[in-house]
Amino acid sequence: MGTRPAPPTSMAVEEKKVAVDGSANGHAAAAAVTVSSAGEHRQLDAGALFVLKSKGSWLHCGYHLTTSIVAPALLSLPFAFASLGWAPGVLCLVIGAAVTFYSYNLLSLVLEHHAKLGRRQLRFRDMAHDILGPRWGRFYIGPIQFSVCFGAVIGAALLGGQSMKSIYLIARPDGMMKLYEFVVIFGAFMLILAQIPSFHSLRHINLISLMLCLAYSACATAASIHAGHSSTAPPRDYSLPSDSQDLVFGVFNAIAIVATTFGNGIIPEIQATAAPPVTGKMFKGLCLCYTIVVMTFFSVAISGYWAFGNRAQGSITANFILQDGSILVPKWFLTMTNVFVLLQLAAVGVVYLQPTNEVLEGLFADPTKDQYSTRNVVPRLIFRSLSIVTATLIAAMLPFFGDLNAVIGAFGFLPLDFTVPSVLYNITFKPSRRSYIYWLNAAIAAVFSMLAVLGSISAVRQVALDAKTYKLFADV
């Protein structure tokens, strides 16, 4: 952006980051400053040095991408289909996959372009600062990204507690433990994983996460097919709401659910974990991720909606237990599915905690000290633990957080993942107004901005409708 100085947290030269990462563990004082090709000194904060280490391969990027996108939220896709119907539901999935794959590649190309210019950007707010201006990074992109990511951590804690309770009730149908107790237990597990020092350090956990999402998606698909052929399954009905108002708001709420399911919000942070040169690595990682997306999203959505129609619940696994307590699939199979979901939720929660970790390290860690020195380990332990405790407390208090998460998704994921990438690409590369790519990007930005507004209205309406049933620490 001309002569505008880079943000203090952006990287100067790709190769310099390798030296920084090596120095962060032994010679951090020397690594506290990097020098751009123009000789401009830029101070690096501890968040960039310690959390966003650039050591990964394209495979590692693929693991991180898959964990952040192919999460247990995909089990709600049959519920979204119930408000859309067959053809619109499949069309929404296809459009969501195509647009997000395209948008994430646009973000990656913008990041690669600035890296080649000697201004590697490690965070979403760095991109907004450099390309849109400081206020956009500080007051729009930064807060929205933080809300979306920390909301995902809260959602992971809540869903983890619900999965644990499901396992418990399968084993003990008359059990007396409450949902908030399971949320606290799961939060304790997440608290341990939260201490893993850097995003790159999660690569092996995220490989396991990739295998887990394939496992529970296959289980959910097989269970839906089995239940659909069961004589005890409830009758299937694919009709849509007859009331036009309910139909319209249901459609927009379903679009928000689909957008949230495809949402990521941390593409720059994931690309920051790739070792230089970064060119082409994210594209390969996205190809791996979207291979998994096609295998899981479509199979779960189509099989679940086929089996249960408009009776599909917020998570398709809930449909396998009937109101009279009978189970449509073997108990061991349903327990296994919930265990797979439970384990992956821990990985998802920790991945979405990384932007919070990066901010906290930048505020409270000392980049001139060793990453594992007492000076840096103590505040890391304290503040990461406080983050998980806060997320767990909110999840336990507000077990209806799914409604609020739909609002966050509409306000956050739709702009960050569908609208902003097109805007950043057009501003960075300035394609001709006669070119198709300019108008394609402009159309995507306009359409999904409008959908974000309508989805937000629909999500807020759903919160208002459900408000009368809200109760702190409810056992749902």
Side-chain angles (χ1 to χ4, degrees), residues 191-238:
L191 189 147
I192 297 171
L193 292 180
Q195 308 308 323
I196 296 175
S198 69
F199 205 156
H200 178 66
S201 302
L202 296 174
R203 61 194 182 280
H204 301 304
I205 290 176
N206 287 341
L207 170 59
I208 297 172
S209 169
L210 184 153
M211 294 185 287
L212 288 169
C213 73
L214 287 173
Y216 67 69
S217 297
C219 289
T221 301
S224 294
I225 294 172
H226 180 273
H229 287 100
S230 172
S231 59
T232 58
R236 290 193 290 270
D237 181 6
Y238 301 111

Side-chain angles (χ1 to χ4, degrees), residues 86-269:
W86 275 116
V90 174
L91 183 62
C92 276
L93 271 191
V94 172
I95 292 174
V99 172
T100 52
F101 182 81
Y102 174 73
S103 297
Y104 296 155
N105 271 294
L106 291 186
L107 277 180
S108 179
L109 290 172
V110 172
L111 289 165
E112 290 177 5
H113 173 76
H114 284 273
K116 290 176 181 177
L117 295 179
R119 299 168 66 87
R120 187 175 183 187
Q121 298 154 336
L122 299 179
R123 291 161 283 213
F124 223 138
R125 65 180 184 275
D126 292 348
M127 294 184 73
H129 184 291
D130 273 3
I131 300 169
L132 301 176
R135 291 185 178 180
W136 283 92
R138 177 172 296 179
F139 300 113
Y140 181 70
I141 298 296
I144 285 182
Q145 186 195 34
F146 181 84
S147 299
V148 165
C149 292
F150 199 69
V153 177
I154 297 170
L158 174 58
L159 291 175
Q162 290 175 342
S163 295
M164 291 186 73
K165 184 182 177 183
S166 296
I167 296 170
Y168 171 72
L169 291 178
I170 292 171
R172 298 185 59 184
D174 56 347
M176 301 300 292
M177 289 185 68
K178 306 298 184 183
L179 174 60
Y180 64 83
E181 297 176 87
F182 292 106
V183 171
V184 171
I185 294 171
F186 186 76
F189 178 48
M190 285 182 59
L191 189 147
I192 297 171
L193 292 180
Q195 308 308 323
I196 296 175
S198 69
F199 205 156
H200 178 66
S201 302
L202 296 174
R203 61 194 182 280
H204 301 304
I205 290 176
N206 287 341
L207 170 59
I208 297 172
S209 169
L210 184 153
M211 294 185 287
L212 288 169
C213 73
L214 287 173
Y216 67 69
S217 297
C219 289
T221 301
S224 294
I225 294 172
H226 180 273
H229 287 100
S230 172
S231 59
T232 58
R236 290 193 290 270
D237 181 6
Y238 301 111
S239 62
L240 298 176
S242 56
D243 183 81
S244 58
Q245 185 180 32
D246 289 341
L247 176 62
V248 170
F249 280 109
V251 167
F252 288 120
N253 194 50
I255 291 173
I257 291 172
V258 173
T260 302
T261 306
F262 279 103
N264 180 279
I266 52 174
I267 290 292
E269 286 77 5

Side-chain angles (χ1 to χ4, degrees), residues 10 12 46 50 55 61 83 111 113 115 128 145 153 161 196 203 216 218 275 303 305 308 314 352 365 376 405 409 469:
S10 63
F50 299 153
K55 294 183 176 182
C61 290
S83 297
L111 289 165
H113 173 76
Q145 186 195 34
V153 177
I196 296 175
R203 61 194 182 280
Y216 67 69
S303 65
Y305 185 56
F308 300 104
Y352 277 103
N376 287 328
N405 219 20
T469 65

Side-chain angles (χ1 to χ4, degrees), residues 370-410:
D370 183 78
Q371 180 180 7
Y372 302 104
S373 65
T374 304
R375 165 65 182 82
N376 287 328
V377 168
V378 171
R380 180 184 309 131
L381 179 64
I382 292 173
F383 289 105
R384 291 190 183 190
S385 299
L386 285 175
S387 296
I388 294 296
V389 168
T390 302
T392 302
L393 179 61
I394 295 174
M397 289 176 60
L398 310 175
F400 46 83
F401 185 75
D403 283 353
L404 300 180
N405 219 20
V407 177
I408 294 172

